[in-house]
Each structure stands twice: as C-alpha cells, then as structure tokens.
Amino acid sequence: MSRYGPRIAALARRAERERAALDTDGSDGETAVDPSPDTADTYLREGAGQAIWLYVEARTGGRLVPFTEPEFEALETAMNRWLECYTRCHGVDLEAAFTVREAAELLLETRNIVDTAQLLTRVPKRDRASPPTG
C-alpha cells in the first residue's frame, strides 16, 4: 500500500455514498439529495477535484509515488463517481469512464475544476456566443 492508500480509501467510500444518494429510492422517484446545478460544483470541489489533485500530488514533486493497482482503480473510480454526481445535478445521466491522468492534465492546463469537468463530460453544454454585430 502506498502512503496515499488511506486517503484513497476514504475518497472512494465517500464517492460511493454520494453517488448512491443521487439514485432514486424507488418509492416515489425522489433522490436522497437535491440534485441541482448549485450542488454540482460542491461535488467537484470536495470530490473529483480532491481525487485528481491527489494523483497530481503523487506524480509531481520529484518523487513518483507508485500506487497499487487496487489503489489506482479506487482513485479513478472515485473521480468518475463524482463526475457522475456533477452531471446528474445538470440533468444528465452519464456513466463516466475517464482516466485520472487525462483529468489531471486538464486540471493543470485549466487550473479550474469546473472547466475540467465541463471539458471532460461536455456538461453543461457551452453556448456558442453570437458574433458581435457592428
């Protein structure tokens, strides 16, 4: 187990709980939490962003920290579960299957977890601005 093992395990448990809370309870079609666009950014800041940054932290700073295969899978799955929560808050049911590496590269490029999530998931769709009229 790497030194990140306990943090990865905690992120994975939280991601599964958060994702399950957005599933319907079956009785009346309501979810355990209110999936709204206002909530979406919270899933990114407190979930997906934390998972992605843990990966960046382990891969930078001069010493590459090797993850075990189960740790890596748990980290990637956690990130994808939070991205699913994010898209559900925008009314889109997505089965996320992104790599943590591609997410990390986008995060380092954009320096913004909301932009990273939008570029990965295409949610919400970006409006094409009309060209200015002169």
Side-chain angles (χ1 to χ4, degrees):
M1 176 186 293
S2 76
R3 64 185 170 130
Y4 290 98
R7 285 174 57 193
I8 292 170
L11 286 167
R13 285 190 304 271
R14 259 186 42 232
E16 290 303 323
R17 281 194 309 267
E18 296 290 344
R19 181 64 183 91
L22 282 172
D23 287 336
T24 57
D25 65 9
S27 62
D28 59 2
E30 294 294 316
T31 60
V33 296
D34 178 31
S36 68
D38 294 334
T39 309
D41 290 355
T42 302
Y43 287 122
L44 296 179
R45 284 189 311 274
E46 296 177 9
Q50 296 295 314
I52 297 166
W53 193 252
L54 187 146
Y55 176 83
V56 170
E57 183 181 308
R59 295 295 189 247
T60 59
R63 287 186 63 186
L64 175 73
V65 176
F67 295 120
T68 65
E69 188 64 30
E71 286 173 336
F72 188 78
E73 288 177 15
L75 183 63
E76 201 158 75
T77 299
M79 176 198 71
N80 280 307
R81 292 301 159 264
W82 272 306
L83 290 172
E84 291 170 2
C85 291
Y86 164 80
T87 61
R88 289 280 303 267
C89 289
H90 287 282
V92 176
D93 193 13
L94 174 78
E95 188 173 324
F98 304 103
T99 67
V100 70
R101 181 180 176 156
E102 71 183 312
E105 289 171 352
L106 279 172
L107 182 61
L108 290 173
E109 185 178 319
T110 65
R111 305 238 183 251
N112 184 307
I113 189 60
V114 175
D115 290 343
T116 298
Q118 194 284 324
L119 288 167
L120 285 170
T121 66
R122 306 285 188 236
V123 174
K125 291 191 186 285
R126 291 190 183 219
D127 293 330
R128 294 186 185 236
S130 301
T133 57

